[in-house]
Amino acid sequence: MVTREADLPGVGTKYSFPLTSGEQLVAVRHRVGHWEIARVDDEGQTTPLVTLAPKEAAELGRILSQRQEAEADARKQMLFEEFSMEWVTLDADSPLVGQTLRDAGVRARTGASVIAVLRSDSSIPSPPPDTSFLAGDTLVIIGGRNQVDRFIREYSSIAIDT
Amino acid sequence: MGPHLFEFALLFGVLGLAAAVSIWLRMPVVPLYIIAGLGIGSFVEKNEVAEFLGQLGVVFLLFSMGLEFSVGNLRREPKRFILPGTLDFAINFPVGVAAGFAFGSSWLDAVFLGGIVYMTSSAVVSQCISEFGRATRPETETLLAIMVFEDLVIAAYLVMISTLTGAAGEQRAVFVTLGLIALFLGALWLLAQRFQRPLARVISPGSEEGFTLALFAFVLLIASAALGVGLSGEVGAFLAGLVIGTTEHKERAASTLLPYRTLFAALFFISFGMSLDPGTFNEVIVPGVVLILAGLATKSIGGYLAGRAAGHPPMPSWVLGFSLIPKGEFSIVIAALAAKATGEQQIVALTGLYVLSLALLGPVAMREADRLSRWMRSLGGSKLAAPKGSAS
């Protein structure tokens, strides 16, 4: 389906696409924000269908696109189940405290990756290998379910569930 | 200022009332502003301040028209507007010129009349489109394409008549004025292109006040510069709008001006109404009526042919024709330029009668367009041959 878009100078923007009935569905967004929707037959006769205030148009759009969104969400959910992302806060007695990312060999030992370090006053996204950890740091880790579980067992007793 | 305060209260009160009546009548507000002006003009002394506000109105109205002028995606489909636009021009402009000669005007006045007869009012038409729910109709696209074409013509036309008249009243060599316009446009363009960045830095994105005030200062500065070099302030403002429209500030300037535009348009049309003297209509009643009938006929037929040429069936083509009838701001501006150039007030009275009538009849014709076009068809409108090559 091809939607045609045309400027209506001084009025707004017009969108139209053919319906299976052979008519055209025409929606015009006025410059001031409201929408006018109509169908047009091949004789050029126009039947106005509805005029919508901006909020009403947004609601209609939400309803119409909801189903597709739900399907897309389900697909994302499925993919998400194959890996896991956790926020892990380091205790003072965690073996990681005082070590750098490289020395600890986090990746080699657990398979999980540290993608960010959150401190009270700053954050380090994609920490470089020489980042050293402090007690109280919250690490954002990502990996397969087993890898993330292993990380938590090795380095921390507290996992903040997302 | 003291005594004027009450007059202004009255002025804005009347404008507000006109707007309310327009909603009640489901009519566009422009003709009501003109009538309101006509009404208060007859018992309120016209003062300098009101006149000045009217001038301010026309400067900003023309600036925002230049600013919003956009060929848009018509550039990709040139035949959608070039053929219909040319037909509209070729049928209407010569009729105005011919009428001018028939009334025994000078050729300069005849050229002015051509423009006055030809230019449709964007202000009235776009309001009618929204008011009467016409935006979704296929012929409305062609209607607006024709309006864009008219805007292109008016830009060239304003420059041309400035050249013919020297606008300041004195007779100048044509090439001097043309050179001035070229220089003026060149300087404006350079200003807009070269100073975009420094300008953007001065007007920090957070400051709405800064932007609004700088924009106002800019428009008035350019308009007065145009006056200074002997062009008219209106033409300068329109050209400034066109140039700013090519820069990245276009959107922001347009949305900043939108609320003020309503105010300026109201002031412009009411001060036009106040400047009219109904007493002078008697002197121009015969040419006036001829001109009105000619305008009604040629705009409808020209619009019909343009619609057929763009591939619309007969009925929507008639609707298109009736939608081109409203006259307004451009005709008024041309008449003001003409009066300044020739020193004759007759053209102002004639235009006053013409614009007033068609600003009133136009929206009525547009509202009743469906009924009228059925009527035209049963009257044998189908005998009017569609131009060759038109597809339906």
Side-chain angles (χ1 to χ4, degrees):
Chain A
M1 192 171 346
V2 183
T3 299
R4 182 171 169 274
E5 188 181 328
D7 285 337
L8 298 179
V11 176
T13 314
K14 172 174 164 176
Y15 306 88
S16 57
F17 61 86
L19 299 170
T20 43
S21 66
E23 292 170 312
Q24 293 271 328
L25 190 85
V26 180
V28 172
R29 185 183 188 278
H30 285 258
R31 229 170 20 168
V32 282
H34 70 276
W35 286 82
E36 224 180 305
I37 300 172
R39 62 189 156 83
V40 179
D41 67 16
D42 49 6
E43 279 294 292
Q45 291 301 313
T46 305
T47 314
L49 296 175
V50 68
T51 302
L52 298 170
K55 268 188 185 165
E56 298 160 350
E59 179 61 11
L60 181 65
R62 195 184 65 77
I63 293 167
L64 295 181
S65 59
Q66 209 168 38
R67 210 190 142 79
Q68 280 170 321
E69 260 172 37
E71 281 166 10
D73 277 353
R75 211 162 40 240
K76 261 188 240 156
Q77 191 65 43
M78 210 178 67
L79 291 173
F80 203 72
E81 271 163 15
E82 289 166 21
F83 70 93
S84 146
M85 198 163 128
E86 289 286 357
W87 273 246
V88 179
T89 301
L90 300 181
D91 298 337
D93 56 358
S94 164
L96 264 186
V97 171
Q99 291 206 69
T100 65
L101 193 54
R102 192 194 297 114
D103 295 345
V106 171
R107 183 72 191 275
R109 287 176 68 134
T110 68
S113 304
V114 178
I115 57 170
V117 179
L118 311 177
R119 288 194 176 139
S120 53
D121 54 346
S122 63
S123 68
I124 311 164
S126 301
D130 58 353
T131 307
S132 58
F133 297 104
L134 306 173
D137 282 355
T138 298
L139 313 186
V140 184
I141 56 171
I142 197 164
R145 289 209 165 274
N146 293 336
Q147 297 167 335
V148 169
D149 286 349
R150 202 174 303 137
F151 183 99
I152 293 168
R153 271 200 310 277
E154 290 264 344
Y155 300 122
S156 166
S157 51
I158 313 163
I160 303 160
D161 211 311
T162 54
Chain B
M1 190 66 202
H4 290 320
L5 279 178
F6 176 69
E7 285 170 32
F8 277 115
L10 187 71
L11 188 72
F12 284 104
V14 168
L15 284 172
L17 195 69
V21 171
S22 87
I23 291 168
W24 181 61
L25 287 176
R26 289 198 62 219
M27 281 278 284
V29 73
V30 167
L32 290 160
Y33 286 155
I34 301 176
I35 292 173
L38 204 62
I40 55 174
S42 51
F43 62 87
V44 168
E45 194 82 22
K46 221 188 148 179
N47 61 52
E48 274 175 20
V49 191
E51 206 166 320
F52 175 69
L53 282 177
Q55 264 176 5
L56 219 55
V58 68
V59 162
F60 280 97
L61 191 67
L62 279 166
F63 175 77
S64 53
M65 283 180 163
L67 186 69
E68 282 176 27
F69 173 78
S70 137
V71 181
N73 55 14
L74 287 171
R75 211 174 330 186
R76 268 179 273 134
E77 307 169 279
K79 65 172 190 288
R80 289 191 76 88
F81 84 116
I82 288 179
L83 183 57
T86 309
L87 273 170
D88 171 55
F89 176 78
I91 291 170
N92 290 286
F93 190 81
V95 168
V97 176
F101 282 127
F103 304 148
S105 313
S106 68
W107 61 272
L108 188 58
D109 274 347
V111 171
F112 279 127
L113 264 182
I116 290 165
V117 168
Y118 166 61
M119 283 309 296
T120 307
S121 164
S122 312
V124 177
V125 168
S126 35
Q127 217 184 345
C128 283
I129 288 173
S130 303
E131 186 69 43
F132 305 147
R134 296 286 158 81
T136 50
R137 295 196 178 198
E139 71 269 17
T140 298
E141 230 181 293
T142 309
L143 171 63
L144 288 166
I146 291 175
M147 307 293 288
V148 167
F149 188 88
E150 288 194 3
D151 284 350
L152 268 176
V153 173
I154 192 74
Y157 178 87
L158 284 177
V159 168
M160 189 192 75
I161 55 174
S162 302
T163 315
L164 289 175
T165 62
E170 75 220 55
Q171 287 301 319
R172 269 180 217 260
V174 165
F175 66 89
V176 173
T177 315
L178 262 185
L180 268 178
I181 291 168
L183 267 178
F184 188 75
L185 262 178
L188 256 179
W189 189 80
L190 207 70
L191 192 75
Q193 298 302 319
R194 292 300 298 248
F195 293 96
Q196 268 196 43
R197 289 189 177 284
L199 210 67
R201 229 176 294 137
V202 172
I203 310 160
S204 68
S207 164
E208 273 311 313
E209 295 93 339
F211 185 78
T212 309
L213 294 172
L215 189 67
F216 274 57
F218 174 79
V219 175
L220 292 174
L221 194 70
I222 298 299
S224 60
L227 266 181
V229 299
L231 301 172
S232 85
E234 292 92 330
V235 174
F238 186 70
L239 296 179
L242 283 178
V243 171
I244 294 293
T246 65
T247 69
E248 61 191 71
H249 299 300
K250 175 180 179 164
E251 294 299 320
R252 192 160 173 213
S255 62
T256 302
L257 276 183
L258 197 63
Y260 301 101
R261 203 188 142 157
T262 326
L263 180 70
F264 290 130
L267 287 171
F268 169 64
F269 286 112
I270 201 167
S271 75
F272 169 69
M274 284 169 78
S275 74
L276 291 177
D277 178 4
T280 60
F281 287 172
N282 286 331
E283 300 161 25
V284 293
I285 192 81
V286 176
V289 170
V290 171
L291 211 57
I292 289 163
L293 292 177
L296 284 172
T298 57
K299 270 293 173 183
S300 317
I301 295 170
Y304 170 80
L305 293 177
R308 297 294 285 149
H312 296 294
M315 293 278 278
S317 297
W318 279 119
V319 173
L320 171 58
F322 297 131
S323 306
L324 284 170
I325 290 172
K327 295 291 168 299
E329 60 281 5
F330 286 116
S331 303
I332 297 172
V333 169
I334 296 168
L337 288 176
K340 230 190 285 176
T342 61
E344 269 183 59
Q345 286 306 305
Q346 211 191 8
I347 196 162
V348 175
L350 187 59
T351 310
L353 188 60
Y354 179 74
V355 169
L356 182 62
S357 309
L358 292 189
L360 273 172
L361 287 174
V364 175
M366 220 170 147
R367 191 175 55 190
E368 302 301 326
D370 286 324
R371 205 169 307 165
L372 283 170
S373 49
R374 272 196 294 277
W375 188 60
M376 284 310 287
R377 205 157 67 151
S378 63
L379 214 74
S382 50
K383 275 184 216 144
L384 270 170
K388 232 179 133 190
S390 73
S392 50

